[in-house]
Each structure stands twice: as structure tokens, then as C-alpha cells.
């Protein structure tokens, strides 16, 4: 059953990749028992180091993969079931993806107008004037102009290319955007501009955003809630401010300690924390599970770890 408070809900999602056969069979548990929900008009940040399963989670939601097991709902509708033309259309109408690499994801032989209008053309829109109007509208939304429409991707900077990628995603008026590391390939100075743009679009269009990043500094300022992933599992889910003020899981603490500080004095004394699952947990007698620490704050831990967190931070109200 879908929880009505969420626009997107993922429950106990598993995504395994298997290669080889017989004795050489190898299974990668890219996503292992992941559950979270994204509320309408919310930005949910999904964070974790390279290879922890963020992209796989995003690609499974838009059904580039068939989930190994688990449930997924969008606006109450089951999106984990058998793939049909109707479900494919439902997903592409509602969820758009923005990719990390604005260079690789744009066809170099297509004009910006062709690239941005593609989503409408594949939906059968043929009226040239209407297509052009929608392209201009979408370009304006991302801070580009009509003169850009006849040019080719190589004529643009990295930041502008990412704007083109966003215009392409926005033209179908999706209800949700999955942005997979949309600023990782950009210069730091350009990152903030693209993040601000996404934020503006979110306010203007009431968009719901799943924002994937490998470190917390990028999602810190604009995620309503954040899920921290480690080796395929979500280890902590909390409101952004709770995660920064009360990080519970040792991996979350390690990620936070890795954020450079703008202040050179505190930066010099900043201590990096390493996360070592063998040392940091004793799961020999107690099994960990996702536990509720407080309202909207969940942590993957054992019962005695939860007790310790509650002693350290006091019972949240
Ligand atoms: N199509 C695939 N076939 C087999 N293994 C895969 C496939 N896609 C991903 N994996 C494996 O699944 C794990 C998770 O990969 P994924 O790309 O989801 O990580 P990520 O968190 O997005 O990492 P990054 O920050 O580097 O983008 C990795 O071990 C990866 O090698
Ligand atoms: Mg990735």
C-alpha cells in the first residue's frame, strides 16, 4: 500500500546485478533494502560515496532496470510492476532525469532547439510554431535566450550545457525531477548558479526533486530531507538541519567531517572522521535495522545503538 503523504515512495527496494555463471557467478547488491519517500514539492537529497548505489536507485525508479524486489509508487500508483507501454508513458510524462555530464548527454549533431524539443516530438507534437514556442519558453526558464536555439552543444560552456539539459527535462512539465550529480562536472563557481536555478524552478513550478550527490556540501543548503547511503543501504534519513546538528550514524558523521570549512582557522583544526564498520559496530549479538529516532529521523542501527543515541542526544520531541 502506498503512503498518501508521498509523491514518490520506495519500499524495501533491492537491485542486484548478476554476471557470469556457475562458479564464476557474481552478484553485486547495488541497492539493498532501501526505503524512503519524497513528499510533493520537496527536495530529497540522496548522498553517499562513489559506488554506493545512488544512480542505480534513480535508474530503477524510472525503470531503466526491473527491480530485483521491493515496491515503488508514484502518486499512489504502482510503478514497480510489469513494464507496459502505458507505464512507460506514465513514467516519462511524470519524471524527468538530469544527468551528471552535460557534454555526453547532449547529441553534438543536434541543434539546441532539436535537443530541447525532443520530449515533445516523441509525444507526437508536430506543430512547428507550438514546438518553437515551448522551446523558447523552456530556454527562458533556464536563463538562455531564443538566439541559443539554432546553435550546437559545443558552442556552450559546461554550465550552459547543464542549463540546456535542464531545459530539455523541463519542457514536458514533469512533476518530479531526478537530478543525478547535476553539478559534479562543473567548476565550483558555476555549481551554485545551477543549484540556484534548480531551486528557482522548484519554487516556480512546484517541482519535486530527488537530488543525487556524493558529498553533503552540495545538498546541504537546499535539501528538505537527506538520505545517506553506504554500500547499497540507507543508513540515515533525516531533515537537513537534523542531519547536520544531530548526525547519528558514524558514516554520516564521517561524511560531515569531510566538508571543508570556509573559515581558514576552523578548517586547520577540522578533524576528519573515518568510518570503519568493523570497529564502529558490534552486530555479533544484535542485528541492525532501520529504527525511528524521532520525527522524520531514521537510522540504521541495533537496539542498543539506538539507546546510546537517545542518551547522547536526549529524546527528541
Ligand atoms: N549495469 C550494471 N551492471 C552491473 N553492475 C552495476 C551496474 N550499474 C551499477 N553497477 C554496480 O552497482 C554498484 C552501484 O553503482 P552506482 O552507479 O549505482 O553507484 P553510485 O552511487 O551512483 O556511484 P557514483 O557516485 O560513482 O556515480 C557499483 O558497485 C557498480 O559497479
Ligand atoms: Mg552515480
Amino acid at each position: 500500500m502506498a503512503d498518501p503523504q508521498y509523491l514518490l515512495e520506495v519500499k524495501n527496494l533491492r537491485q542486484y546485478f548478476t554476471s557470469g555463471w556457475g562458479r564464476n557467478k557474481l552478484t553485486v547488491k547495488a541497492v539493498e533494502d532501501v526505503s524512503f519517500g519524497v513528499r510533493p514539492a520537496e527536495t530529497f537529497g540522496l548522498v553517499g560515496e562513489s559506488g554506493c548505489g545512488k544512480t542505480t536507485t534513480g535508474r530503477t525508479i524510472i525503470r531503466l532496470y526491473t527491480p530485483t524486489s521491493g515496491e515503488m509508487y508514484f502518486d499512489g500508483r504502482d510503478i514497480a510492476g510489469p513494464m507496459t507501454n502505458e507505464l512507460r508513458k506514465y513514467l516519462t510524462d511524470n519524471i524527468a532525469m538530469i544527468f551528471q555530464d552535460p557534454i555526453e548527454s547532449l547529441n553534438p549533431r543536434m541543434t539546441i532547439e532539436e535537443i530541447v524539443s525532443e520530449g515533445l516530438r516523441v509525444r507526437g507534437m508536430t506543430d512547428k510554431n507550438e514546438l518553437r514556442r515551448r522551446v523558447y519558453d523552456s530556454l527562458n526558464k533556464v536563463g538562455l535566450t531564443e538566439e541559443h536555439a539554432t546553435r550546437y552543444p559545443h558552442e556552450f560552456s559546461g554550465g550552459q550545457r547543464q542549463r540546456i539539459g535542464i531545459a530539455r527535462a523541463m519542457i514536458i512539465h514533469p512533476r518530479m525531477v531526478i537530478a543525478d550529480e547535476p553539478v559534479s562536472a562543473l567548476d565550483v563557481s558555476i555549481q551554485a548558479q545551477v543549484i540556484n536555478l534548480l531551486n528557482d524552478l522548484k519554487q516556480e513550478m512546484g517541482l519535486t526533486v530527488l537530488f543525487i550527490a556524493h558529498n553533503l556540501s552540495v545538498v546541504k543548503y537546499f535539501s528538505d530531507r537527506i538520505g545517506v547511503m553506504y554500500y547499497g543501504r540507507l543508513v540515515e534519513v533525516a531533515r537537513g538541519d537534523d542531519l547536520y546538528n544531530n548526525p547519528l550514524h558514524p558514516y554520516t558523521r564521517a561524511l560531515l567531517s569531510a566538508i571543508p570549512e570556509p573559515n581558514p582557522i576552523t578548517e586547520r583544526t577540522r578533524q576528519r572522521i573515518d568510518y570503519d564498520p568493523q570497529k564502529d559496530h558490534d552486530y555479533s549479538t544484535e542485528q541492525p535495522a532501520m529504527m525511528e529516532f524521532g520525527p522524520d529521523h531514521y537510522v540504521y542501527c541495533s537496539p542498543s545503538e539506538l539507546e546510546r543515541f537517545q542518551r547522547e542526544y536526549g529524546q527528541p520531541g
Side-chain angles (χ1 to χ4, degrees):
M1 273 288 287
D3 184 335
Q5 67 172 312
Y6 298 123
L7 180 63
L8 170 74
E9 189 181 7
V10 171
K11 267 161 107 171
N12 307 110
L13 183 69
R14 289 187 166 81
Q15 184 63 61
Y16 295 175
F17 295 110
T18 309
S19 59
W21 51 85
R23 283 171 54 203
N24 295 320
K25 189 166 154 170
L26 189 76
T27 300
V28 177
K29 297 181 176 182
V31 176
E32 177 64 6
D33 200 13
V34 160
S35 302
F36 64 94
V38 187
R39 299 185 180 116
E42 180 180 52
T43 297
F44 189 94
L46 194 58
V47 178
E49 66 204 47
S50 188
C52 72
K54 306 178 296 292
T55 296
T56 304
T57 302
R59 293 171 72 98
T60 307
I61 291 167
I62 59 169
R63 291 297 303 272
L64 292 177
Y65 304 132
T66 301
T68 305
S69 68
E71 299 168 52
M72 302 193 294
Y73 301 96
F74 189 86
D75 199 11
R77 182 195 157 136
D78 177 8
I79 55 166
M83 188 40 87
T84 59
N85 289 339
E86 205 261 325
L87 177 57
R88 168 63 53 217
K89 182 174 184 318
Y90 180 76
L91 288 169
T92 52
D93 280 349
N94 284 285
I95 309 178
M97 194 117 181
I98 298 169
F99 299 94
Q100 169 172 0
D101 197 326
I103 297 145
E104 263 177 35
S105 60
L106 303 180
N107 185 333
R109 280 180 289 277
M110 281 163 76
T111 64
I112 302 313
E113 177 163 3
E114 287 167 334
I115 290 170
V116 173
S117 64
E118 195 169 26
L120 296 177
R121 288 187 283 115
V122 299
R123 280 171 181 72
M125 188 184 281
T126 50
D127 182 332
K128 282 219 160 59
N129 291 328
E130 175 66 4
L131 278 170
R132 183 154 289 164
R133 194 186 64 74
R134 291 279 293 268
V135 167
Y136 290 171
D137 179 52
S138 210
L139 288 177
N140 289 335
K141 275 205 173 70
V142 301
L144 296 171
T145 65
E146 302 173 8
E147 288 91 79
H148 292 122
T150 51
R151 302 208 207 149
Y152 290 86
H154 71 265
E155 299 176 56
F156 294 89
S157 68
Q160 286 175 318
R161 287 194 191 116
Q162 195 52 288
R163 287 173 193 270
I164 295 163
I166 295 170
R168 174 176 61 180
M170 289 304 148
I171 200 162
I172 57 161
H173 299 156
R175 295 170 70 190
M176 179 162 189
V177 165
I178 299 180
D180 189 358
E181 308 220 29
V183 298
S184 304
L186 304 176
D187 285 352
V188 176
S189 58
I190 310 291
Q191 288 187 358
Q193 293 176 13
V194 173
I195 287 175
N196 288 340
L197 169 65
L198 280 172
N199 240 349
D200 292 347
L201 289 172
K202 189 191 141 192
Q203 309 288 346
E204 209 176 293
M205 305 174 74
L207 265 184
T208 305
V209 180
L210 179 64
F211 191 100
I212 296 174
H214 59 255
N215 69 52
L216 276 165
S217 55
V218 171
V219 294
K220 185 169 172 178
Y221 294 105
F222 80 113
S223 295
D224 300 296
R225 287 184 306 129
I226 295 173
V228 177
M229 258 182 116
Y230 182 77
Y231 275 95
R233 275 188 190 280
L234 271 179
V235 295
E236 190 159 358
V237 180
R239 289 211 332 253
D241 50 348
D242 280 339
L243 199 79
Y244 291 101
N245 299 326
N246 288 348
L248 301 174
H249 197 278
Y251 180 63
T252 310
R253 298 182 193 193
L255 271 187
L256 280 170
S257 79
I259 301 179
E261 294 187 28
N263 178 338
I265 295 163
T266 53
E267 172 63 20
R268 217 174 299 141
T269 54
R270 178 167 64 94
Q271 294 259 321
R272 282 209 59 160
I273 305 171
D274 288 320
Y275 174 49
D276 179 353
Q278 303 299 327
K279 271 213 322 261
D280 290 343
H281 310 283
D282 177 6
Y283 293 149
S284 57
T285 56
E286 284 185 322
Q287 286 306 299
M290 208 57 167
M291 309 247 186
E292 187 173 2
F293 173 74
D296 264 341
H297 198 160
Y298 293 84
V299 57
Y300 184 73
C301 65
S302 67
S304 53
E305 282 178 314
L306 185 67
E307 271 175 38
R308 178 162 56 80
F309 297 146
Q310 283 164 345
R311 273 200 311 275
E312 280 174 26
Y313 285 113
Q315 203 80 36

